Amino acid sequence: MMENSRTRRSEFAITFFIKAAGYSSILLVTAIFIFLMKEGLPALGDVDLKTLFGSRWYPIEGYFGIWPLILGSLLVTVGAALVAIPLGVGTAVYISEVAPAWIKEILKPLIEILAGLPSVVLGFLGITVAVPLLRRLLDLPTGLTAFTGAVMLGLISIPTIVSIGEDALNTVPQSYRQAALALGATRWQTIWGVTLPAARSGVITAIMLGIGRALGETMAVMMVTGNAPVLPIQWNALFMPVRTMTATIASEMGEVATGSAHYHVLFFIGIVLFLLSLIVNIFASFVSSKQRRRAERVLS
Amino acid sequence: MTKRTLILLLIGLMLLLAGCRGDSGTSGQASVSLQNKGSDTMVNLALAWAERYQAEHPEASISVTGGGSGTGLSALLNGTVDIANASRAIKDEELEQAQAAGFTPGEYVVARDAIAVIVNPENPVKELTLAQISAIYRCEITNWSQVGGEDRPIVRLSRETNSGTHVYFLEEVIRLGDKTNTDIFCAETLLMPSSEGIIAEVADNPNAIGYDGLGYVTEDVKMLALSENPAGPFILPSVENVNAGTYPIARDLYMYTRTDTPDGLVKAYLEWVFSAEAQKIVSDLGFVPVEAAP
């Protein structure tokens, strides 16, 4: 009897705690969103739209054009995705499908260490090793370019893609692979035609989370991209310096007077960043849920 | 279950006790502390001063951080620091904010600094006029061959816009001291988050041009001799040339306090900063000492 009521009480406490933890994340996101809106939307009143969506960013003289920053972030993120997707998915496939057990035992912890590496350390490596190397190798005016940033960001997002992608591949039932091999498919045909499509939703989620990580990364990017607010529209923009939204917020937020136009515009950039990562997430969940519906149909 | 709770409680209690000790463990010695923040140009100087002062006055604790002149002054206005370091004079709007917050900042010129324009040692260019540098940073001159160098593209490096050095360079070099001029750095200028970043890139890249406080310039880069007019004379930045007033881009370095009549440690520290001993540190670090007491 006594025991029973104690169990019930602890059950209640635990349920309450878990519920509170669940709701708190909703509450936090809402609070952050409201705060961003409150601090960022006044920018539309402080700065006229033509200036805000202009092509020149030089805030201390009232040039608040955010296009170079948006395009700079997109360029670096797309570059990072091009580096990280083949390497990340490839590594995940290798670990899950090809590697013998002992290599798997070594690779998995190594990838986890790479995931735990602070980005400032990677940025430091970038500035001392990658920047001089890329300048000499590609004969560029400077090694501080969008491409250098993309490579660094690629390295940062690879561990995310590998560990989530590998989990997704592991959930594919062994019978699928056996069936494919029994039908005479080669190992590569099995991976490309059966295992990867079966794990598609998980792999796409992994890629999207990796891209989200790249989009929001600040420190490494700030150290290696040169931070020049150039509109990256030339054909060789990838090999020219750019300035990203995150680097701009990080390097300028410390200096602005609270409530000034510059302050509101920096928060407005925060809103743009928030919306972009929201789009990435919505796209990811759209793709994965669509895939699940099809898979359920096939199986039923 | 209960055992684990007990252990957790014990750990919590220990942490709490440790926290209390840290707070009240001064054991009678009247210690005083001072927060000092601001200009990255001055951070090494401010650190050296703070270390020497603390060595002589063990009861004083001075913490020094950088971040940029604007960052330091805004911290002063928000009341989170006692002394702000700035490599530029306080702006009118910052002064208004201070008055709105109910205080008049005290201003002290504690040292002087020359801005060195630097290039890679491989670069054959030795001297430039201020007008040429202005044209380079406005992207009117885009190749070193246009100023007597090799056929190489010019990569322009600058500090971020929150740096006092950036603002000074904009006003005195890009705009050549003309208040009505509204020219700015061209967008292709690389804005580096730190002085070290500029030195590192210039030391590595023969295309690069950069500028930095004289105290930051290392052996790995080459300083240019500058002149205000094409006929010369072209002057290299040095303590002697700044004191003689011949080097064209030199400026005052400031400390700002929350009141123009400081007392206690702030007053004692500022008085010490103007002593011969503290000003010796100024020249040791490559800055230019000042003589007048406040």
Side-chain angles (χ1 to χ4, degrees):
Chain A
M1 183 69 190
M2 183 80 166
E3 193 59 35
N4 194 10
S5 80
R6 241 183 76 182
T7 319
R8 219 183 309 152
R9 234 182 300 139
S10 71
E11 184 81 0
F12 175 77
I14 290 168
T15 323
F16 178 79
F17 175 75
I18 291 174
K19 247 190 213 164
Y23 288 140
S24 74
S25 67
I26 300 176
L27 207 72
L28 267 176
V29 171
T30 321
I32 290 170
F33 187 70
I34 292 172
F35 179 73
L36 265 183
M37 289 295 163
K38 187 175 143 289
E39 300 292 334
L41 286 183
L44 297 172
D46 292 347
V47 183
D48 63 276
L49 282 179
K50 223 178 112 207
T51 313
L52 194 60
F53 292 99
S55 59
R56 185 71 173 101
W57 175 261
Y58 194 70
I60 56 174
E61 293 285 322
Y63 295 89
F64 290 115
I66 61 174
W67 268 122
L69 312 178
I70 296 177
L71 293 181
S73 271
L74 289 181
L75 179 69
V76 175
T77 309
V78 169
L82 291 181
V83 172
I85 291 172
L87 280 175
V89 176
T91 312
V93 167
Y94 178 71
I95 292 181
S96 149
E97 306 297 314
V98 184
W102 67 273
I103 291 188
K104 208 185 277 192
E105 293 304 307
I106 299 174
L107 272 182
K108 283 190 77 170
L110 280 182
I111 297 285
E112 268 144 36
I113 291 175
L114 193 60
L117 210 61
S119 64
V120 65
V121 174
L122 265 176
F124 188 67
L125 271 177
I127 212 165
T128 51
V129 181
V131 167
L133 192 74
L134 282 172
R135 182 177 67 78
R136 290 199 179 85
L137 223 59
L138 304 174
D139 195 26
L140 300 169
T142 173
L144 297 159
T145 63
F147 181 72
T148 323
V151 171
M152 289 296 127
L153 283 187
L155 289 181
I156 287 171
S157 34
I158 281 173
T160 312
I161 298 181
V162 173
S163 52
I164 299 173
E166 199 235 331
D167 285 346
L169 288 167
N170 278 339
T171 58
V172 175
Q174 201 57 36
S175 55
Y176 283 31
R177 296 185 188 92
Q178 288 160 351
L181 292 171
L183 287 170
T186 62
R187 197 188 228 179
W188 164 247
Q189 286 169 332
T190 311
I191 291 170
W192 188 248
V194 176
T195 324
L196 263 182
R200 199 177 79 167
S201 71
V203 172
I204 287 175
T205 310
I207 291 171
M208 288 300 159
L209 284 174
I211 291 177
R213 176 99 163 77
L215 189 64
E217 174 53 46
T218 308
M219 203 59 217
V221 170
M222 192 158 91
M223 291 166 82
V224 301
T225 54
N227 300 321
V230 191
L231 208 56
I233 44 174
Q234 281 166 292
W235 64 273
N236 59 350
L238 188 59
F239 296 99
M240 302 291 271
V242 289
R243 190 179 180 86
T244 64
M245 292 188 277
T246 48
T248 304
I249 296 175
S251 57
E252 292 174 13
M253 196 46 104
E255 147 230 19
V256 295
T258 313
S260 64
H262 187 188
Y263 174 89
H264 291 309
V265 173
L266 286 181
F267 273 99
F268 187 79
I269 296 173
I271 295 178
V272 174
L273 205 52
F274 187 87
L275 290 179
L276 280 177
S277 54
L278 202 67
I279 291 171
V280 170
N281 279 326
I282 288 175
F283 182 72
S285 67
F286 175 74
V287 169
S288 59
S289 71
K290 191 174 152 198
Q291 165 70 13
R292 194 172 306 134
R293 257 180 272 126
R294 213 189 68 182
E296 277 158 10
R297 232 181 14 246
V298 170
L299 289 177
S300 60
Chain B
M1 173 76 190
T2 44
K3 204 184 237 172
R4 203 178 294 164
T5 324
L6 202 70
I7 291 172
L8 276 178
L9 262 175
L10 267 175
I11 292 175
L13 205 67
M14 269 152 67
L15 284 176
L16 211 70
L17 283 174
C20 288
R21 263 177 64 96
D23 275 340
S24 56
T26 43
S27 65
Q29 170 76 287
S31 84
V32 278
S33 72
L34 187 159
Q35 298 286 331
N36 183 199
K37 184 184 178 84
S39 167
D40 281 327
T41 307
M42 293 169 70
V43 73
N44 283 346
L45 176 63
L47 273 171
W49 273 342
E51 273 167 24
R52 180 72 64 84
Y53 189 81
Q54 287 174 98
E56 289 169 15
H57 304 80
E59 78 285 358
S61 130
I62 299 170
S63 70
V64 179
T65 42
S69 302
T71 312
L73 283 168
S74 86
L76 186 80
L77 299 179
N78 295 335
T80 52
V81 299
D82 305 296
I83 300 180
N85 304 330
S87 56
R88 59 167 170 81
I90 193 165
K91 288 181 196 159
D92 287 343
E93 57 257 40
E94 286 163 338
L95 210 55
E96 279 163 26
Q97 272 189 41
Q99 266 140 12
F103 66 92
T104 318
E107 178 185 276
Y108 306 88
V109 174
V110 293
R112 305 192 74 213
D113 184 27
I115 308 291
V117 175
I118 51 176
V119 295
N120 189 277
E122 282 178 36
N123 192 327
V125 174
K126 286 197 177 63
E127 50 189 38
L128 290 173
T129 65
L130 294 189
Q132 280 174 321
I133 298 174
S134 168
I136 287 175
Y137 274 97
R138 284 182 284 117
C139 292
E140 275 178 19
I141 294 178
T142 55
N143 194 297
W144 281 110
S145 62
Q146 289 169 273
V147 290
E150 296 165 332
D151 178 23
R152 288 177 173 283
I154 299 180
V155 171
R156 304 151 195 87
L157 301 172
S158 162
R159 288 293 311 280
E160 277 284 356
T161 50
N162 61 349
S163 148
T165 319
H166 177 104
V167 175
Y168 178 81
F169 197 81
L170 175 71
E171 287 168 355
E172 297 303 317
V173 181
I174 309 274
R175 296 177 176 169
L176 300 165
D178 179 359
K179 292 255 186 280
T180 58
N181 190 327
T182 55
D183 290 336
I184 55 174
F185 288 85
C186 61
E188 283 78 4
T189 308
L190 275 60
L191 301 175
M192 306 296 285
S194 67
S195 286
E196 288 81 3
I198 293 181
I199 301 282
E201 174 69 4
V202 172
D204 177 69
N205 189 344
N207 305 323
I209 182 170
Y211 63 87
D212 219 332
L214 189 56
Y216 273 93
V217 176
T218 63
E219 296 285 305
D220 310 324
V221 296
K222 186 172 86 176
M223 294 191 277
L224 294 180
L226 306 183
S227 163
E228 275 176 281
N229 56 63
F234 290 86
I235 310 286
L236 272 168
S238 70
V239 171
E240 297 75 48
N241 291 341
V242 173
N243 271 339
T246 51
Y247 187 68
I249 40 176
R251 59 177 170 170
D252 295 335
L253 300 178
Y254 301 86
M255 276 188 164
Y256 285 95
T257 55
R258 282 181 63 79
T259 152
D260 50 3
T261 53
D263 53 5
L265 179 58
V266 175
K267 180 167 187 276
Y269 186 57
L270 277 169
E271 277 171 4
W272 179 82
V273 157
F274 285 98
S275 70
E277 184 193 3
Q279 290 296 315
K280 171 79 171 45
I281 298 176
V282 172
S283 44
D284 287 348
L285 288 176
F287 295 105
V288 181
V290 288
E291 275 148 33

